[in-house]
Structures are given as C-alpha cells and as structure tokens.
Amino acid sequence: KFLNLFVVSNKDPLRWKRAKGVPPMPYILDFLKKEIEYERFDWIAAGIQKCMEVILTRWIQNCVRETGIKRVALSGGVFMNVKANKLIMELPEIDDLFIFPSCGDETNAIGAAYWVYAQERIKSGNTINIEPIGPIYWGGIFEDDEIEEAIKNYRFLSKVSVSWRDNIEKDVAKLL
C-alpha cells in the first residue's frame, strides 16, 4: 500500500514524488486513514520500513546511474536507518558509502561548506584535501574532582547514593 504512494522518476532520476491521486501532506491524513485504519500496527510499521527501503534503493540507483558517482555520502534522519543503509551499501552500483553521523538538517550545511571548499580549491588549482571528520562527540571533558564538586553542590529532590567504580565501562556493559 505504501509503495503506491510514491514514484521514483526514471526521466528525472534525482527526484521522487507523490504518485498520481495521492494528496499533498497537509491533506493526506484522511487518505491514509482509509488505507490503513484496520491494519495491525506492526504490519504498518513493517510496510513503512519496506517502502522506505525500496524507494531509497531505487532512488540511489537512479542517482548513481545519472551522475556516475559510485562513492556516495548520505545524511539526515532517514539515513540513520541501519537496515536501509545496509541495503544501499550492498547495491552493486555502490563502491563506497559514507553515512554522516548526525541526523539533523545541519548535515546539509556541513556538506554545502565542504562542496564550496572543494570548488574553491579546484578553481585555484589546488588539490582537494579534506580530512575525514572522525568521531563527532564534542562534549566536554570533566575531571573527577569537578564531578564530585557538582554532585556535592546539587540539590537533589530525593536521596542519592554515589560510589566510585574502578571499571565503569565494564559495569555499565553488564547492566545493559
């Protein structure tokens, strides 16, 4: 049912759109309700997953065919879907797949900045030398005494117990 809602264009392979007769998003609720109202929720979830996998793989195949680019970088929330990414990675058209490790719209701005940088390097006759991003956890580093001080000064709403663990990672892994 969900696959009938979208069309991946073969004439304009970089685009996909709503199928004929499918209303625009602000008006789709009643349309979808008629389609799936009495279906099981797990079937609906599985159907949406399968639809997304089919649409994304077709779209990526079309994009590779159109551009000839076989080293693909993807970003955004939909590309946090591991099952879909695995299927994309396994496409014979794909030589290399990079999924940007962030799922927000900021990935578009970062990609645009890299693209502009690359274009400027090419214009000036320089090689494009973009270092890999690597891990993107940019949170703070806190020393033990800072943590102890913060705990000591915080006004908890109920009694808490704090203890030191020699191997916190191992203990957390056991709990998980």
Side-chain angles (χ1 to χ4, degrees), residues 7-22:
V7 176
V8 177
S9 173
N10 287 326
K11 290 181 182 176
D12 186 4
L14 303 181
R15 299 185 71 166
W16 55 274
K17 60 183 181 177
R18 284 180 285 111
K20 188 175 181 178
V22 176

Side-chain angles (χ1 to χ4, degrees), residues 114-174:
Y114 275 131
W115 186 82
V116 169
Y117 172 78
Q119 297 307 306
E120 290 301 315
R121 298 287 295 177
I122 290 168
K123 266 194 237 174
S124 62
N126 294 309
T127 58
I128 302 169
N129 185 18
I130 298 174
E131 292 291 321
I133 290 175
I136 63 167
Y137 176 73
W138 297 317
I141 297 173
F142 302 97
E143 299 297 328
D144 292 343
D145 58 337
E146 292 174 295
I147 296 168
E148 288 175 14
E149 187 68 24
I151 291 170
K152 186 176 97 180
N153 292 326
Y154 187 80
R155 299 183 119 191
F156 291 96
L157 297 177
S158 59
K159 186 172 172 61
V160 297
S161 170
V162 179
S163 61
W164 178 262
R165 303 290 184 133
D166 290 327
N167 191 340
I168 189 73
E169 293 84 1
K170 185 176 178 182
D171 293 341
V172 169
K174 281 182 186 175

Side-chain angles (χ1 to χ4, degrees), residues 74-148:
L74 303 169
S75 68
V78 75
F79 294 110
M80 294 289 107
N81 187 301
V82 176
K83 287 184 69 184
N85 291 344
K86 180 181 181 293
L87 292 172
I88 293 168
M89 181 182 68
E90 292 172 345
L91 290 172
E93 294 87 352
I94 300 293
D95 287 344
D96 192 20
L97 179 64
F98 173 73
I99 306 295
F100 191 85
S102 174
C103 58
D105 290 339
E106 71 278 359
T107 56
N108 293 328
I110 293 168
Y114 275 131
W115 186 82
V116 169
Y117 172 78
Q119 297 307 306
E120 290 301 315
R121 298 287 295 177
I122 290 168
K123 266 194 237 174
S124 62
N126 294 309
T127 58
I128 302 169
N129 185 18
I130 298 174
E131 292 291 321
I133 290 175
I136 63 167
Y137 176 73
W138 297 317
I141 297 173
F142 302 97
E143 299 297 328
D144 292 343
D145 58 337
E146 292 174 295
I147 296 168
E148 288 175 14

